[in-house]
Amino acid sequence: MNITTQATKPILVLGATGKTGRRVLARLTARGVPTRAGSRSAQPRFDWEDRSTWASALRDAKSVYISYYPDIAVPGAVETVGSFAELAVTSGVPRLVLLSGRGEAEAEHAEQAVRDSGAELTILRSTWFAQNFSEDYLLEHVLSGEVALPGGDTPEPFVDADDIADVAVAALTDDRHIGQLYELTGPRLLTFAEAVGEIAKATGREVRYLPVSLDEYAAAAAGQGVPAEVVELLTYLFSEVLDGRNSRVADGVRRALGREPRDFAAYARDARASGVWDAPAANGAD
Ligand SMILES: NC(=O)c1ccc[n+]([C@@H]2O[C@H](COP(=O)([O-])OP(=O)(O)OC[C@H]3O[C@@H](n4cnc5c(N)ncnc54)[C@H](OP(=O)(O)O)[C@@H]3O)[C@@H](O)[C@H]2O)c1
């Protein structure tokens, strides 16, 4: 295989329309790096639940950014992600960058399954994304003016998905990151009340944090029509991960990029400027 061929091979970006994947794809494209999007809406289609779609997504790829859906800690993820890594390695695509979760035993099992494939691996073990408040299930809460969560007053070092994408791109384009495990967090610990306070400050909206019990949260989510498996996943995350085990900042962003991670306040300013918090809530609340 000559160097020109290697240079023109695409980097496969899974979860290509998601919070991290679309940022990784945009950064690689801006650098002129050949890419291939991987998701159910991509061509060729990639579906975690349909293994017959995996080989064509991997064909002639140079490396892969793996973000599993819905969550690397759900039952079955270890086997599925491990099988995908094995196929990648046996297909001649051993260079993998895996997005993982911090403080989750199941996520660490998935990391091990990918390691066992013999991949040239970089692991991005990430804490809660700030973008959950603007691009995922917490957006509706912010728009309704009340973020009711079983988050207690446990501090969490929310990380910005832009930092995750910067580290992913560094890892995908520089072999010095092979074998590294980066714990990715923001630069400071914030309780949910403090994080929501930053959003209120940035937006000028009246939005507050309301601590609720796990049972109250699960009942309210089910009542709003959230699917049972999603309620189960969220209550698992709130009970397992938000017990203080992740209440410390880590140095992964600095080790990978040589700079400090972005602060939550900077995230909140940018999200506000994007207009995402301008819309009224879908349920009519404003
Ligand atoms: N959110 C957090 O705070 C947090 C923290 C640590 C780790 N993580 C990890 O982050 C990962 C998720 O990454 P993300 O938040 O960047 O993604 P995301 O925003 O949840 O995006 C989902 C992506 O997956 C694709 N997708 C959905 N179903 C799929 C399927 N069956 N097969 C293939 N692709 C599918 C979607 O595109 P299509 O609809 O086109 O298929 C979309 O591109 C999870 O593994 C989670 O454990 C999250």
mmCIF file of all heavy atoms in Angstrom, residues 97-136:
data_model
loop_
_atom_site.group_PDB
_atom_site.id
_atom_site.type_symbol
_atom_site.label_atom_id
_atom_site.label_comp_id
_atom_site.label_asym_id
_atom_site.label_seq_id
_atom_site.Cartn_x
_atom_site.Cartn_y
_atom_site.Cartn_z
ATOM 1 N N VAL A 97 -10.629 5.095 17.532
ATOM 2 C CA VAL A 97 -10.751 6.069 18.621
ATOM 3 C C VAL A 97 -12.147 5.872 19.215
ATOM 4 O O VAL A 97 -13.154 6.047 18.518
ATOM 5 C CB VAL A 97 -10.564 7.515 18.111
ATOM 6 C CG1 VAL A 97 -10.832 8.520 19.230
ATOM 7 C CG2 VAL A 97 -9.153 7.697 17.550
ATOM 8 N N LEU A 98 -12.185 5.463 20.480
ATOM 9 C CA LEU A 98 -13.452 5.071 21.110
ATOM 10 C C LEU A 98 -13.906 6.108 22.127
ATOM 11 O O LEU A 98 -13.177 6.439 23.059
ATOM 12 C CB LEU A 98 -13.257 3.722 21.829
ATOM 13 C CG LEU A 98 -14.433 3.231 22.678
ATOM 14 C CD1 LEU A 98 -15.619 2.845 21.790
ATOM 15 C CD2 LEU A 98 -14.008 2.048 23.551
ATOM 16 N N LEU A 99 -15.146 6.584 21.958
ATOM 17 C CA LEU A 99 -15.760 7.464 22.959
ATOM 18 C C LEU A 99 -16.378 6.587 24.040
ATOM 19 O O LEU A 99 -17.231 5.735 23.746
ATOM 20 C CB LEU A 99 -16.840 8.332 22.299
ATOM 21 C CG LEU A 99 -17.644 9.229 23.245
ATOM 22 C CD1 LEU A 99 -16.742 10.229 23.963
ATOM 23 C CD2 LEU A 99 -18.743 9.959 22.469
ATOM 24 N N SER A 100 -15.948 6.797 25.280
ATOM 25 C CA SER A 100 -16.443 5.975 26.381
ATOM 26 C C SER A 100 -16.991 6.876 27.485
ATOM 27 O O SER A 100 -16.951 8.101 27.381
ATOM 28 C CB SER A 100 -15.290 5.107 26.894
ATOM 29 O OG SER A 100 -15.732 4.255 27.926
ATOM 30 N N GLY A 101 -17.530 6.245 28.536
ATOM 31 C CA GLY A 101 -18.120 7.001 29.646
ATOM 32 C C GLY A 101 -17.268 6.850 30.900
ATOM 33 O O GLY A 101 -16.637 5.815 31.110
ATOM 34 N N ARG A 102 -17.295 7.877 31.719
ATOM 35 C CA ARG A 102 -16.424 7.914 32.898
ATOM 36 C C ARG A 102 -17.154 7.368 34.126
ATOM 37 O O ARG A 102 -18.298 7.714 34.390
ATOM 38 C CB ARG A 102 -16.026 9.362 33.128
ATOM 39 C CG ARG A 102 -14.978 9.598 34.192
ATOM 40 C CD ARG A 102 -14.556 11.049 34.091
ATOM 41 N NE ARG A 102 -13.516 11.404 35.026
ATOM 42 C CZ ARG A 102 -13.633 12.344 35.950
ATOM 43 N NH1 ARG A 102 -14.766 13.020 36.075
ATOM 44 N NH2 ARG A 102 -12.626 12.627 36.742
ATOM 45 N N GLY A 103 -16.463 6.510 34.870
ATOM 46 C CA GLY A 103 -17.024 5.992 36.122
ATOM 47 C C GLY A 103 -18.098 4.943 35.917
ATOM 48 O O GLY A 103 -18.930 4.729 36.775
ATOM 49 N N GLU A 104 -18.084 4.283 34.750
ATOM 50 C CA GLU A 104 -19.115 3.280 34.468
ATOM 51 C C GLU A 104 -18.441 1.939 34.200
ATOM 52 O O GLU A 104 -17.679 1.805 33.237
ATOM 53 C CB GLU A 104 -19.919 3.669 33.222
ATOM 54 C CG GLU A 104 -20.645 4.989 33.333
ATOM 55 C CD GLU A 104 -21.277 5.383 32.008
ATOM 56 O OE1 GLU A 104 -21.772 4.520 31.289
ATOM 57 O OE2 GLU A 104 -21.237 6.590 31.699
ATOM 58 N N ALA A 105 -18.749 0.938 35.047
ATOM 59 C CA ALA A 105 -18.125 -0.386 34.879
ATOM 60 C C ALA A 105 -18.416 -0.938 33.485
ATOM 61 O O ALA A 105 -17.524 -1.477 32.821
ATOM 62 C CB ALA A 105 -18.641 -1.333 35.952
ATOM 63 N N GLU A 106 -19.668 -0.784 33.027
ATOM 64 C CA GLU A 106 -20.033 -1.355 31.721
ATOM 65 C C GLU A 106 -19.243 -0.698 30.594
ATOM 66 O O GLU A 106 -18.850 -1.350 29.627
ATOM 67 C CB GLU A 106 -21.537 -1.200 31.473
ATOM 68 C CG GLU A 106 -22.374 -2.243 32.154
ATOM 69 C CD GLU A 106 -21.922 -3.664 31.833
ATOM 70 O OE1 GLU A 106 -21.933 -4.043 30.658
ATOM 71 O OE2 GLU A 106 -21.546 -4.396 32.774
ATOM 72 N N ALA A 107 -19.013 0.592 30.712
ATOM 73 C CA ALA A 107 -18.228 1.288 29.687
ATOM 74 C C ALA A 107 -16.798 0.752 29.677
ATOM 75 O O ALA A 107 -16.195 0.561 28.606
ATOM 76 C CB ALA A 107 -18.234 2.789 29.958
ATOM 77 N N GLU A 108 -16.272 0.461 30.848
ATOM 78 C CA GLU A 108 -14.899 -0.066 30.904
ATOM 79 C C GLU A 108 -14.832 -1.472 30.316
ATOM 80 O O GLU A 108 -13.833 -1.855 29.703
ATOM 81 C CB GLU A 108 -14.367 -0.001 32.335
ATOM 82 C CG GLU A 108 -14.152 1.452 32.746
ATOM 83 C CD GLU A 108 -13.527 1.621 34.118
ATOM 84 O OE1 GLU A 108 -12.813 0.707 34.581
ATOM 85 O OE2 GLU A 108 -13.760 2.688 34.717
ATOM 86 N N HIS A 109 -15.909 -2.253 30.469
ATOM 87 C CA HIS A 109 -15.939 -3.567 29.819
ATOM 88 C C HIS A 109 -15.925 -3.410 28.300
ATOM 89 O O HIS A 109 -15.280 -4.179 27.587
ATOM 90 C CB HIS A 109 -17.176 -4.364 30.251
ATOM 91 C CG HIS A 109 -17.160 -4.740 31.704
ATOM 92 N ND1 HIS A 109 -18.296 -4.894 32.451
ATOM 93 C CD2 HIS A 109 -16.129 -4.965 32.549
ATOM 94 C CE1 HIS A 109 -17.967 -5.202 33.703
ATOM 95 N NE2 HIS A 109 -16.653 -5.244 33.779
ATOM 96 N N ALA A 110 -16.645 -2.416 27.815
ATOM 97 C CA ALA A 110 -16.662 -2.173 26.361
ATOM 98 C C ALA A 110 -15.271 -1.733 25.889
ATOM 99 O O ALA A 110 -14.794 -2.175 24.833
ATOM 100 C CB ALA A 110 -17.709 -1.113 26.018
ATOM 101 N N GLU A 111 -14.618 -0.883 26.671
ATOM 102 C CA GLU A 111 -13.241 -0.480 26.316
ATOM 103 C C GLU A 111 -12.355 -1.724 26.204
ATOM 104 O O GLU A 111 -11.559 -1.864 25.267
ATOM 105 C CB GLU A 111 -12.656 0.435 27.408
ATOM 106 C CG GLU A 111 -13.321 1.784 27.517
ATOM 107 C CD GLU A 111 -12.840 2.557 28.756
ATOM 108 O OE1 GLU A 111 -11.880 2.105 29.417
ATOM 109 O OE2 GLU A 111 -13.437 3.604 29.054
ATOM 110 N N GLN A 112 -12.504 -2.645 27.183
ATOM 111 C CA GLN A 112 -11.658 -3.843 27.186
ATOM 112 C C GLN A 112 -11.959 -4.715 25.962
ATOM 113 O O GLN A 112 -11.040 -5.266 25.345
ATOM 114 C CB GLN A 112 -11.877 -4.639 28.484
ATOM 115 C CG GLN A 112 -10.870 -5.763 28.695
ATOM 116 C CD GLN A 112 -9.427 -5.263 28.674
ATOM 117 O OE1 GLN A 112 -9.082 -4.264 29.290
ATOM 118 N NE2 GLN A 112 -8.561 -5.948 27.918
ATOM 119 N N ALA A 113 -13.243 -4.816 25.611
ATOM 120 C CA ALA A 113 -13.607 -5.630 24.442
ATOM 121 C C ALA A 113 -12.950 -5.057 23.184
ATOM 122 O O ALA A 113 -12.478 -5.804 22.319
ATOM 123 C CB ALA A 113 -15.127 -5.671 24.284
ATOM 124 N N VAL A 114 -12.888 -3.745 23.085
ATOM 125 C CA VAL A 114 -12.260 -3.126 21.908
ATOM 126 C C VAL A 114 -10.737 -3.343 21.964
ATOM 127 O O VAL A 114 -10.104 -3.682 20.963
ATOM 128 C CB VAL A 114 -12.618 -1.626 21.820
ATOM 129 C CG1 VAL A 114 -11.865 -0.950 20.687
ATOM 130 C CG2 VAL A 114 -14.120 -1.460 21.621
ATOM 131 N N ARG A 115 -10.174 -3.202 23.163
ATOM 132 C CA ARG A 115 -8.730 -3.463 23.331
ATOM 133 C C ARG A 115 -8.392 -4.896 22.915
ATOM 134 O O ARG A 115 -7.404 -5.152 22.235
ATOM 135 C CB ARG A 115 -8.367 -3.266 24.799
ATOM 136 C CG ARG A 115 -7.154 -2.416 25.021
ATOM 137 C CD ARG A 115 -6.843 -2.287 26.486
ATOM 138 N NE ARG A 115 -7.151 -0.992 27.028
ATOM 139 C CZ ARG A 115 -8.018 -0.742 28.002
ATOM 140 N NH1 ARG A 115 -8.699 -1.716 28.582
ATOM 141 N NH2 ARG A 115 -8.220 0.481 28.424
ATOM 142 N N ASP A 116 -9.260 -5.844 23.321
ATOM 143 C CA ASP A 116 -9.007 -7.266 23.038
ATOM 144 C C ASP A 116 -9.000 -7.573 21.544
ATOM 145 O O ASP A 116 -8.494 -8.612 21.130
ATOM 146 C CB ASP A 116 -10.072 -8.143 23.725
ATOM 147 C CG ASP A 116 -9.920 -8.147 25.236
ATOM 148 O OD1 ASP A 116 -8.848 -7.730 25.721
ATOM 149 O OD2 ASP A 116 -10.882 -8.567 25.918
ATOM 150 N N SER A 117 -9.566 -6.678 20.745
ATOM 151 C CA SER A 117 -9.579 -6.917 19.292
ATOM 152 C C SER A 117 -8.184 -6.743 18.702
ATOM 153 O O SER A 117 -7.941 -7.113 17.560
ATOM 154 C CB SER A 117 -10.537 -5.928 18.610
ATOM 155 O OG SER A 117 -9.981 -4.602 18.674
ATOM 156 N N GLY A 118 -7.276 -6.160 19.474
ATOM 157 C CA GLY A 118 -5.925 -5.894 18.960
ATOM 158 C C GLY A 118 -5.828 -4.559 18.245
ATOM 159 O O GLY A 118 -4.846 -4.274 17.559
ATOM 160 N N ALA A 119 -6.849 -3.714 18.418
ATOM 161 C CA ALA A 119 -6.868 -2.409 17.737
ATOM 162 C C ALA A 119 -5.734 -1.503 18.224
ATOM 163 O O ALA A 119 -5.234 -1.659 19.336
ATOM 164 C CB ALA A 119 -8.206 -1.718 18.009
ATOM 165 N N GLU A 120 -5.346 -0.574 17.357
ATOM 166 C CA GLU A 120 -4.455 0.529 17.769
ATOM 167 C C GLU A 120 -5.401 1.598 18.309
ATOM 168 O O GLU A 120 -6.004 2.361 17.560
ATOM 169 C CB GLU A 120 -3.683 1.053 16.554
ATOM 170 C CG GLU A 120 -2.747 0.009 15.961
ATOM 171 C CD GLU A 120 -2.242 0.401 14.589
ATOM 172 O OE1 GLU A 120 -2.573 1.501 14.103
ATOM 173 O OE2 GLU A 120 -1.531 -0.416 13.984
ATOM 174 N N LEU A 121 -5.525 1.616 19.620
ATOM 175 C CA LEU A 121 -6.683 2.276 20.229
ATOM 176 C C LEU A 121 -6.332 3.538 21.011
ATOM 177 O O LEU A 121 -5.341 3.586 21.719
ATOM 178 C CB LEU A 121 -7.344 1.260 21.178
ATOM 179 C CG LEU A 121 -8.588 1.690 21.948
ATOM 180 C CD1 LEU A 121 -9.725 2.044 21.006
ATOM 181 C CD2 LEU A 121 -9.032 0.565 22.888
ATOM 182 N N THR A 122 -7.202 4.543 20.887
ATOM 183 C CA THR A 122 -7.202 5.689 21.801
ATOM 184 C C THR A 122 -8.589 5.727 22.445
ATOM 185 O O THR A 122 -9.604 5.641 21.732
ATOM 186 C CB THR A 122 -6.972 7.021 21.053
ATOM 187 O OG1 THR A 122 -5.793 6.896 20.263
ATOM 188 C CG2 THR A 122 -6.808 8.176 22.040
ATOM 189 N N ILE A 123 -8.623 5.846 23.767
ATOM 190 C CA ILE A 123 -9.908 5.882 24.476
ATOM 191 C C ILE A 123 -10.162 7.293 25.001
ATOM 192 O O ILE A 123 -9.295 7.893 25.645
ATOM 193 C CB ILE A 123 -9.916 4.883 25.655
ATOM 194 C CG1 ILE A 123 -9.792 3.451 25.112
ATOM 195 C CG2 ILE A 123 -11.186 5.034 26.493
ATOM 196 C CD1 ILE A 123 -9.600 2.402 26.195
ATOM 197 N N LEU A 124 -11.361 7.815 24.692
ATOM 198 C CA LEU A 124 -11.784 9.120 25.214
ATOM 199 C C LEU A 124 -12.845 8.825 26.272
ATOM 200 O O LEU A 124 -14.004 8.569 25.943
ATOM 201 C CB LEU A 124 -12.364 9.989 24.099
ATOM 202 C CG LEU A 124 -11.574 10.059 22.783
ATOM 203 C CD1 LEU A 124 -12.229 11.054 21.835
ATOM 204 C CD2 LEU A 124 -10.113 10.395 23.020
ATOM 205 N N ARG A 125 -12.424 8.770 27.531
ATOM 206 C CA ARG A 125 -13.351 8.419 28.619
ATOM 207 C C ARG A 125 -13.916 9.724 29.165
ATOM 208 O O ARG A 125 -13.275 10.440 29.922
ATOM 209 C CB ARG A 125 -12.614 7.616 29.695
ATOM 210 C CG ARG A 125 -13.556 6.964 30.675
ATOM 211 C CD ARG A 125 -12.790 6.277 31.763
ATOM 212 N NE ARG A 125 -12.252 4.989 31.388
ATOM 213 C CZ ARG A 125 -11.386 4.301 32.142
ATOM 214 N NH1 ARG A 125 -10.996 4.783 33.305
ATOM 215 N NH2 ARG A 125 -10.933 3.121 31.737
ATOM 216 N N SER A 126 -15.167 9.967 28.780
ATOM 217 C CA SER A 126 -15.712 11.310 28.948
ATOM 218 C C SER A 126 -16.752 11.388 30.056
ATOM 219 O O SER A 126 -17.533 10.465 30.265
ATOM 220 C CB SER A 126 -16.344 11.727 27.616
ATOM 221 O OG SER A 126 -17.005 12.924 27.770
ATOM 222 N N THR A 127 -16.783 12.536 30.693
ATOM 223 C CA THR A 127 -17.808 12.807 31.696
ATOM 224 C C THR A 127 -19.062 13.384 31.007
ATOM 225 O O THR A 127 -19.134 13.431 29.769
ATOM 226 C CB THR A 127 -17.226 13.767 32.758
ATOM 227 O OG1 THR A 127 -18.004 13.693 33.924
ATOM 228 C CG2 THR A 127 -17.161 15.194 32.251
ATOM 229 N N TRP A 128 -20.062 13.839 31.772
ATOM 230 C CA TRP A 128 -21.316 14.380 31.201
ATOM 231 C C TRP A 128 -21.020 15.543 30.258
ATOM 232 O O TRP A 128 -20.236 16.438 30.584
ATOM 233 C CB TRP A 128 -22.220 14.924 32.317
ATOM 234 C CG TRP A 128 -22.821 13.854 33.153
ATOM 235 C CD1 TRP A 128 -22.160 13.009 33.987
ATOM 236 C CD2 TRP A 128 -24.201 13.507 33.229
ATOM 237 N NE1 TRP A 128 -23.047 12.156 34.579
ATOM 238 C CE2 TRP A 128 -24.305 12.438 34.150
ATOM 239 C CE3 TRP A 128 -25.356 13.997 32.621
ATOM 240 C CZ2 TRP A 128 -25.527 11.851 34.468
ATOM 241 C CZ3 TRP A 128 -26.564 13.416 32.936
ATOM 242 C CH2 TRP A 128 -26.643 12.360 33.845
ATOM 243 N N PHE A 129 -21.699 15.500 29.109
ATOM 244 C CA PHE A 129 -21.493 16.573 28.133
ATOM 245 C C PHE A 129 -22.309 17.815 28.541
ATOM 246 O O PHE A 129 -23.497 17.704 28.887
ATOM 247 C CB PHE A 129 -22.006 16.189 26.744
ATOM 248 C CG PHE A 129 -21.425 14.944 26.140
ATOM 249 C CD1 PHE A 129 -21.971 14.431 24.973
ATOM 250 C CD2 PHE A 129 -20.328 14.286 26.696
ATOM 251 C CE1 PHE A 129 -21.461 13.287 24.380
ATOM 252 C CE2 PHE A 129 -19.812 13.148 26.114
ATOM 253 C CZ PHE A 129 -20.378 12.645 24.954
ATOM 254 N N ALA A 130 -21.721 18.985 28.403
ATOM 255 C CA ALA A 130 -22.479 20.225 28.575
ATOM 256 C C ALA A 130 -23.630 20.265 27.569
ATOM 257 O O ALA A 130 -24.731 20.733 27.869
ATOM 258 C CB ALA A 130 -21.548 21.423 28.367
ATOM 259 N N GLN A 131 -23.374 19.752 26.351
ATOM 260 C CA GLN A 131 -24.375 19.847 25.274
ATOM 261 C C GLN A 131 -25.640 19.040 25.546
ATOM 262 O O GLN A 131 -26.620 19.184 24.807
ATOM 263 C CB GLN A 131 -23.743 19.424 23.942
ATOM 264 C CG GLN A 131 -22.971 20.530 23.234
ATOM 265 C CD GLN A 131 -21.621 20.831 23.859
ATOM 266 O OE1 GLN A 131 -21.159 20.127 24.766
ATOM 267 N NE2 GLN A 131 -20.951 21.878 23.388
ATOM 268 N N ASN A 132 -25.671 18.220 26.604
ATOM 269 C CA ASN A 132 -26.939 17.572 26.966
ATOM 270 C C ASN A 132 -28.015 18.625 27.244
ATOM 271 O O ASN A 132 -29.198 18.379 27.056
ATOM 272 C CB ASN A 132 -26.769 16.696 28.213
ATOM 273 C CG ASN A 132 -25.890 15.480 27.957
ATOM 274 O OD1 ASN A 132 -25.772 15.011 26.830
ATOM 275 N ND2 ASN A 132 -25.267 14.973 29.005
ATOM 276 N N PHE A 133 -27.603 19.824 27.674
ATOM 277 C CA PHE A 133 -28.552 20.900 27.990
ATOM 278 C C PHE A 133 -29.073 21.621 26.743
ATOM 279 O O PHE A 133 -30.041 22.368 26.828
ATOM 280 C CB PHE A 133 -27.892 21.958 28.885
ATOM 281 C CG PHE A 133 -27.640 21.513 30.305
ATOM 282 C CD1 PHE A 133 -26.372 21.122 30.700
ATOM 283 C CD2 PHE A 133 -28.670 21.499 31.247
ATOM 284 C CE1 PHE A 133 -26.124 20.726 32.008
ATOM 285 C CE2 PHE A 133 -28.430 21.107 32.558
ATOM 286 C CZ PHE A 133 -27.151 20.714 32.936
ATOM 287 N N SER A 134 -28.395 21.451 25.610
ATOM 288 C CA SER A 134 -28.781 22.233 24.427
ATOM 289 C C SER A 134 -29.044 21.381 23.191
ATOM 290 O O SER A 134 -29.679 21.842 22.243
ATOM 291 C CB SER A 134 -27.687 23.266 24.099
ATOM 292 O OG SER A 134 -26.409 22.661 24.115
ATOM 293 N N GLU A 135 -28.558 20.133 23.192
ATOM 294 C CA GLU A 135 -28.706 19.302 21.989
ATOM 295 C C GLU A 135 -29.278 17.928 22.309
ATOM 296 O O GLU A 135 -29.240 17.043 21.456
ATOM 297 C CB GLU A 135 -27.330 19.137 21.304
ATOM 298 C CG GLU A 135 -26.723 20.452 20.861
ATOM 299 C CD GLU A 135 -25.307 20.299 20.305
ATOM 300 O OE1 GLU A 135 -24.958 19.222 19.807
ATOM 301 O OE2 GLU A 135 -24.547 21.282 20.391
ATOM 302 N N ASP A 136 -29.761 17.744 23.536
ATOM 303 C CA ASP A 136 -30.244 16.407 23.901
ATOM 304 C C ASP A 136 -31.385 16.522 24.909
ATOM 305 O O ASP A 136 -32.044 17.565 24.978
ATOM 306 C CB ASP A 136 -29.067 15.570 24.436
ATOM 307 C CG ASP A 136 -29.241 14.087 24.117
ATOM 308 O OD1 ASP A 136 -30.375 13.592 24.270
ATOM 309 O OD2 ASP A 136 -28.268 13.420 23.734
#
